């Protein structure tokens, strides 16, 4: 891995909302990048031998007491630096410039004009739309720096010292509203830092296989396979690396969507040839959940029983030393906001809190990857698109989408309605892209209807479809009305027990994505 990571970019985080996006953008360009809190130990950052540094934005003002400062080692570094927004101000302040509050704040779209040629702006239009978000501005340039671009409100929208290869930009090239942002980042990586494009799915797979073999030796590895993207790609990588010595346990808790349990067995055992133990625990879960309608109690009951069922199977695998987990980079990333917190281990709902007699060493081959990279690795490993592009699905599954007390009949009703909704979305091209999470929710509410001249009194179904990048906030998807009409008509005609369909038009906040 060192080889793959060496010569990449260190992103220094000053607390911006878009820090992770900077790292994702550089990786999309084929250059490895890692995020470090601004006060991370310099040795940790330098260990990766970065070819350059990108300083993120942040909410502070550099002249405020206690504001995060440029890590001092950077001033002595020979590697190029690109400061973005607060990062530029921190760089300018530390290099002898002056930063002041601006009379005109700039939030949102702006236009910058190139003022002089530089490798950073090479090939960019003279004028280009960018995204700004700042209240401070540079009042005096540091020695050696020149203005490279300006905007109506920022005479120093971009600055640079070409000889020391240090640059600052007031706008955010990582967001899509900055039209030429990708080109500018590409210029920084390849024309300023001299990076190589070596961070690819194929290179990652070769490297990960090697690392797994070194870690595991001749031993066997256990994996809890859920059918979700992270565990699926972890499984496929391990299977490539150690074949039969990977033992996957898949617990069917009866809360999965239509045909999902069958698909997991078919794909992983039959098509991929993996060593898969499928445990049918549907009855046990249904009886444990009987009469429970409180959402948290549903979660706890499922989580606890899952650990019990998984542990029982795991104990049968004597002498197993390793447990693989689908931990990904956002689970372990250290941000400026919590820079004192130790990196955490993902507490999967399904393997969290294993009993003391089951102690494993963890194998986490995707620890360095963002979700979109995990999907690309999955594709390169030959996993089917339905798995690789699967929308997130909560661990407790349909239990928290079947509101109120559960029964097999109600779950089957929900499964049938959900399958109609998702198949229509897929046909319209809105499942893989266009919506981030789309599903049906069965409400514990009956309403009056009229079907075939007869009065009916049946349950209500809600459709939920959201757009979001990070699942922390979300907006309801503006689905085409014709699509909603078709889905509604099909559900009331094809699914017994539902006579009314509603569409949830609430954003998060104030609502959550799930209903329970
Ligand atoms: P909310 O409903 O909090 O959901 O807006 C945000 C994201 O988290 C998922 N989610 C869960 N995932 N176990 C999970 O594994 C859970 O108990 C759980 N609850 C919510 C939800 O599907 C969405 O992607």
């Amino acid at each position: 891995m060192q080889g793959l990571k060496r010569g990449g970019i260190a992103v220094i985080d000053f607390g911006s909302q878009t820090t992770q996006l900077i790292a994702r953008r550089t990786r999309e360009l084929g250059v490895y990048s890692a995020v470090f809190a601004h006060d991370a130990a310099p040795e940790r950052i330098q260990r990766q031998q970065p070819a350059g540094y990108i300083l993120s934005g942040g909410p502070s003002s550099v002249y405020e007491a206690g504001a995060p400062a440029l890590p001092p080692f950077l001033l002595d570094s020979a590697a190029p630096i690109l400061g973005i927004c607060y990062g530029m101000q921190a760089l300018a302040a530390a290099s002898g410039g002056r930063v002041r509050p601006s009379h005109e704040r700039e939030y949102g779209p702006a236009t910058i004009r190139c003022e002089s040629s530089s490798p950073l702006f090479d090939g960019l239009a003279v004028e280009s739309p960018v995204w700004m978000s700042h209240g401070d501005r540079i009042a005096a340039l540091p020695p050696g720096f020149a203005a490279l671009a300006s905007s109506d409100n920022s005479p120093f929208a971009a600055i640079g010292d070409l000889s020391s290869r240090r640059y600052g930009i007031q706008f955010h090239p990582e967001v899509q509203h900055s039209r030429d942002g990708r080109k500018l980042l590409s210029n920084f990586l390849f024309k300023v830092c001299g990076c190589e494009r070596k961070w690819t799915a194929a290179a990652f797979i070769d490297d990960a296989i090697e690392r797994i073999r070194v870690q595991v030796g001749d031993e066997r590895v256990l994996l809890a396979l859920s059918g979700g993207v992270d565990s699926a790609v972890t499984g496929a990588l391990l299977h490539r690396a150690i074949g039969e010595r990977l033992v996957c346990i898949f617990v069917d808790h009866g809360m999965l969507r239509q045909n999902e349990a069958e698909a997991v067995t078919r794909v992983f055992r039959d098509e991929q040839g993996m060593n898969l133990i499928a445990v049918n625990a549907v009855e046990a879960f249904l009886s444990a959940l009987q009469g429970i309608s409180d959402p948290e109690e549903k979660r706890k009951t499922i989580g606890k029983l899952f650990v019990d069922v998984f542990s029982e199977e795991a104990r049968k695998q004597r002498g197993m030393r390793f447990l693989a987990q689908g931990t990904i980079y956002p689970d372990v990333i250290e941000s400026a906001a919590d820079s004192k917190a130790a990196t955490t281990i993902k507490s999967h709902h399904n393997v969290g809190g294993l009993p003391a007699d089951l102690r494993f060493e963890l194998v986490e081959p995707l620890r360095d990857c963002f979700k979109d990279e995990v999907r690309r690795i999955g594709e390169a490993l030959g996993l089917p698109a339905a798995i690789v592009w699967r929308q997130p699905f909560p661990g407790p599954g349909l239990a928290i989408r079947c509101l109120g007390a559960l029964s097999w009949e109600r779950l089957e009703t929900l499964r049938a309605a959900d399958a109609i909704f998702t198949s229509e979305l897929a046909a319209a091209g809105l499942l893989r892209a266009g919506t981030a999470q789309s599903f049906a929710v069965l409400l514990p509410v009956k309403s009056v209807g009229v079907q075939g001249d007869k009065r009916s009194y049946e349950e209500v179904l809600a459709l939920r479809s959201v757009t979001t990048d990070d699942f922390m906030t979300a907006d309801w998807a503006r689905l085409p009305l014709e699509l909603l009409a078709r889905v509604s008509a099909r559900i009331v005609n094809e699914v017994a027990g539902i006579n009314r369909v509603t569409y949830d038009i609430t954003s998060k906040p104030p609502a959550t994505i799930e209903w329970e």
Side-chain angles (χ1 to χ4, degrees), residues 462-475:
L463 303 174
R464 180 77 160 141
S465 185
V466 297
T467 55
T468 175
D469 279 332
D470 56 10
F471 297 87
M472 307 288 283
T473 61
D475 198 6

Side-chain angles (χ1 to χ4, degrees), residues 193-242:
C193 300
C195 294
E196 282 171 60
R197 265 192 191 85
K198 57 181 182 180
W199 183 254
T200 63
F204 177 87
I205 290 168
D206 289 346
D207 188 79
I209 288 171
E210 193 50 43
R211 280 183 295 126
I212 291 167
R213 287 182 180 153
V214 168
Q215 183 185 1
V216 169
D218 297 331
E219 306 258 350
R220 294 181 309 144
V221 179
L222 195 63
L223 170 71
L225 199 66
S226 67
V229 187
D230 302 341
S231 70
V233 176
T234 302
L237 260 179
L238 276 143
H239 185 239
R240 276 253 180 122
I242 60 168

Side-chain angles (χ1 to χ4, degrees), residues 172-353:
H172 289 267
E174 69 277 18
V175 306
Q176 62 190 28
H177 312 283
S178 292
R179 189 191 66 196
D180 298 336
R182 186 182 160 89
K183 174 77 182 137
L184 184 141
L185 286 174
S186 167
N187 281 346
F188 181 68
L189 299 182
F190 302 112
K191 294 187 173 161
V192 178
C193 300
C195 294
E196 282 171 60
R197 265 192 191 85
K198 57 181 182 180
W199 183 254
T200 63
F204 177 87
I205 290 168
D206 289 346
D207 188 79
I209 288 171
E210 193 50 43
R211 280 183 295 126
I212 291 167
R213 287 182 180 153
V214 168
Q215 183 185 1
V216 169
D218 297 331
E219 306 258 350
R220 294 181 309 144
V221 179
L222 195 63
L223 170 71
L225 199 66
S226 67
V229 187
D230 302 341
S231 70
V233 176
T234 302
L237 260 179
L238 276 143
H239 185 239
R240 276 253 180 122
I242 60 168
E244 286 277 289
R245 285 184 288 121
L246 170 69
V247 179
C248 302
I249 296 180
F250 165 63
V251 176
D252 181 2
H253 53 27
M255 307 295 143
L256 297 173
R257 289 165 295 188
Q258 201 166 65
N259 300 329
E260 217 164 14
E262 296 79 1
V264 168
T265 316
R266 191 188 68 245
V267 169
F268 294 100
R269 183 189 286 159
D270 305 342
E271 293 173 17
Q272 302 286 321
M274 283 157 64
N275 193 351
L276 175 78
I277 299 167
V279 185
N280 184 336
V282 177
E283 287 301 326
F285 276 88
L286 276 179
S287 77
L289 286 162
Q290 198 156 29
I292 298 179
S293 45
D294 177 73
E296 287 316 301
E297 215 178 315
K298 283 181 182 175
R299 282 188 170 84
K300 275 192 210 130
T301 306
I302 291 175
K304 183 178 173 312
L305 190 54
F306 196 104
V307 170
D308 290 349
V309 174
F310 180 81
S311 306
E312 195 183 320
E313 280 308 314
R315 281 196 192 94
K316 294 181 193 161
Q317 304 293 321
R318 301 200 174 279
M320 190 75 80
R321 204 175 113 200
F322 292 97
L323 177 75
Q325 277 209 135
T327 310
I328 65 173
Y329 193 49
D331 301 326
V332 296
I333 205 163
E334 171 196 279
S335 70
D338 62 358
S339 60
K340 296 288 176 274
T343 49
T344 50
I345 288 174
K346 186 177 195 172
S347 59
H348 276 304
H349 72 280
N350 44 11
V351 288

